[in-house]
Amino acid sequence: MKRKLVLEDGTVFLGDAFGSKKETIGEVVFNTSMSGYQEIISDPSNYGQIITFSYPLIGNYGINRDDFESIQPVIKGIIVKEACDTPSNWRSNLSLEEFMKQKDIPGISGIDTRMLTRLIREKGAMKGIICSAEEKTEAILNRLQATTFPGDEVKQVSSTKPFPSPGRGKNVVVVDFGLKNGILRELTERGCDITVVPFTTSAQDILTLRPDGILLSNGPGNPEHVAQVCKMIQEVQKEVPLFGIGLGHQLFAMANGSKVEKMHSGHRGTSYPVKDLATGKIIFTSQNHGFEVSEKSVDTNTLTITHRAVNGNSIEGLKHQKLPAFSVQYEPEASPGSEDAKVAFDQFMNIMDQQQERVEQHA
């Protein structure tokens, strides 16, 4: 069955349908990862997006039960050069296409993904539609151009009620903006007693849980759409150590006077080099973001830039100069990707230990 991908600039790609056969509209972006497609497809940060995989073969090791980053994927669609229908891996439970049919995720294969990636790099991320090859392009463009996205991405993926992930160590409250399972895994491996709360939870309700630390999770969309949480961040960072990841990093920056801006085509992949400015060390990171903290907006009397992207020099890490609070733009949980950046969780644990020591000294 033939399908076509139509971009808002009028570019048309003809390909083959796989997965769900429904029509889908979303923001077309590209991801440069060579593996980890299961984690990428199930990452809540990809809500509203149609992901183009620049690596030419996707699906060769199938889908397994262990590597999901959320229970229900929220991705709008998948674009690949070639979709493998005969996966080979001892952990594989089903093929990529079988999984996509189960979860009602539409896809298109046979696309020149190299050309599409170059187009997005040149023109930036743009709206696109995967639909029947028989429909007239002019009618599709009219429908596509009339489509607007509501800006409620975080609401669509955040938890609606608090829930625990019990442990016997540090009491950590995770504010859920589109939480990846990998973050919970890293906290659990460090023995943390975790409570996940919706992004709408007030500072008072969070502090009532008497946390040793607060983590602001990753999530989708424009951080300005949830700017109301900045007041909560301003209040809790004065009381408890705080760690922001991805969208949480951007909101931490906004709460401390910085602004964010949309990137031309975003950073999405698993081998982005980042420099730790304190040590000069280069770490390879997993990234998935379409917005970044504006360099010129950072108040250097309040925040210190701790990490920078080697390619492009964008801000990849911040810390508060007076409070025990810091953030990273990249994904330290490494799901998928290099595990170089997992030390950020150890840093969070150390900051909580130091804060506890200060409290005990003043008791």
Side-chain angles (χ1 to χ4, degrees):
M1 178 180 176
K2 292 294 182 180
R3 306 198 84 184
K4 60 184 176 183
L5 166 70
V6 181
L7 303 179
E8 63 178 306
D9 70 343
T11 305
V12 179
F13 294 85
L14 185 65
D16 301 309
F18 79 108
S20 169
K21 302 303 187 292
K22 73 177 183 181
E23 180 179 294
T24 189
I25 297 177
E27 182 184 37
V28 181
V29 299
F30 67 87
N31 191 299
T32 59
S33 300
M34 296 176 65
S35 62
Y37 54 81
Q38 180 173 337
E39 295 95 318
I40 294 165
I41 292 170
S42 58
D43 184 348
S45 294
N46 288 326
Y47 177 84
Q49 295 180 338
I50 300 174
I51 300 290
T52 304
F53 286 96
S54 63
Y55 191 72
L57 177 64
I58 299 296
N60 55 309
Y61 55 86
I63 299 291
N64 65 73
R65 69 174 190 177
D66 300 321
D67 291 339
F68 290 108
E69 288 303 308
S70 64
I71 295 174
Q72 180 61 45
V74 291
I75 193 170
K76 291 295 184 181
I78 298 170
I79 303 168
V80 300
K81 171 64 175 174
E82 180 181 353
C84 178
D85 57 5
T86 55
S88 177
N89 185 276
W90 66 273
R91 292 198 303 158
S92 177
N93 302 121
L94 69 168
S95 71
L96 174 60
E97 180 166 28
E98 289 170 336
F99 171 73
M100 291 171 63
K101 287 179 177 178
Q102 283 185 8
K103 298 298 183 180
D104 200 26
I105 302 170
I108 184 170
S109 65
I111 292 292
D112 185 345
T113 50
R114 185 171 183 267
M115 176 182 174
L116 177 56
T117 298
R118 290 169 66 105
L119 182 64
I120 296 171
R121 289 186 65 182
E122 176 187 341
K123 295 187 175 182
M126 62 185 91
K127 289 186 293 185
I129 182 170
I130 298 174
C131 60
S132 169
E134 298 176 358
E135 188 172 354
K136 292 184 178 179
T137 301
E138 183 178 358
I140 296 171
L141 280 172
N142 290 336
R143 190 162 74 256
L144 184 59
Q145 291 166 0
T147 300
T148 57
F149 302 129
D152 62 347
E153 299 94 343
V154 171
K155 181 180 178 181
Q156 294 296 326
V157 296
S158 177
S159 307
T160 56
K161 295 181 179 179
F163 66 89
S165 180
R168 294 184 179 274
K170 295 284 191 296
N171 179 12
V172 176
V173 171
V174 176
V175 183
D176 181 6
F177 297 102
L179 176 65
K180 291 177 67 177
N181 289 341
I183 291 176
L184 294 182
R185 181 190 64 240
E186 293 304 317
L187 293 175
T188 299
E189 286 185 359
R190 290 160 177 78
C192 295
D193 183 20
I194 306 163
T195 303
V196 179
V197 300
F199 78 101
T200 53
T201 308
S202 69
Q204 181 180 356
D205 287 343
I206 290 174
L207 295 174
T208 298
L209 296 171
R210 301 184 62 82
D212 297 307
I214 297 169
L215 189 148
L216 308 175
S217 86
N218 63 289
N222 185 343
E224 292 180 353
H225 292 162
V226 287
Q228 68 273 16
V229 306
C230 289
K231 181 179 179 182
M232 175 274 289
I233 296 170
Q234 291 166 353
E235 294 180 29
V236 300
Q237 70 180 4
K238 298 175 185 177
E239 307 293 333
V240 181
L242 183 141
F243 176 27
I245 295 175
L247 181 64
H249 155 82
Q250 296 162 8
L251 291 168
F252 168 66
M254 287 172 57
N256 287 284
S258 301
K259 296 181 180 180
V260 297
E261 55 192 12
K262 188 171 176 60
M263 303 174 73
H264 181 66
S265 57
H267 288 171
R268 297 174 180 88
T270 52
S271 298
Y272 280 85
V274 168
K275 185 175 183 178
D276 184 331
L277 300 183
T279 65
K281 181 180 179 182
I282 303 297
I283 58 175
F284 283 90
T285 67
S286 176
Q287 302 207 8
N288 184 19
H289 60 101
F291 289 81
E292 64 182 351
V293 176
S294 170
E295 174 89 26
K296 61 185 178 182
S297 72
V298 176
D299 181 359
T300 54
N301 294 316
T302 303
L303 298 174
T304 298
I305 299 172
T306 60
H307 296 76
R308 285 191 181 276
V310 174
N311 301 325
N313 209 39
S314 59
I315 295 171
E316 291 287 341
L318 294 166
K319 71 174 181 180
H320 201 286
Q321 294 190 6
K322 297 179 181 179
L323 302 174
F326 74 106
S327 64
V328 295
Q329 177 63 80
Y330 49 86
E331 300 182 331
E333 70 281 356
S335 299
S338 167
E339 298 190 355
D340 288 4
K342 286 187 176 182
V343 293
F345 290 97
D346 297 325
Q347 181 182 351
F348 185 39
M349 299 297 291
N350 291 335
I351 289 176
M352 288 189 285
D353 286 337
Q354 293 168 8
Q355 182 72 358
Q356 187 173 353
E357 290 175 5
R358 284 192 288 268
V359 172
E360 290 174 352
Q361 288 174 0
H362 288 87

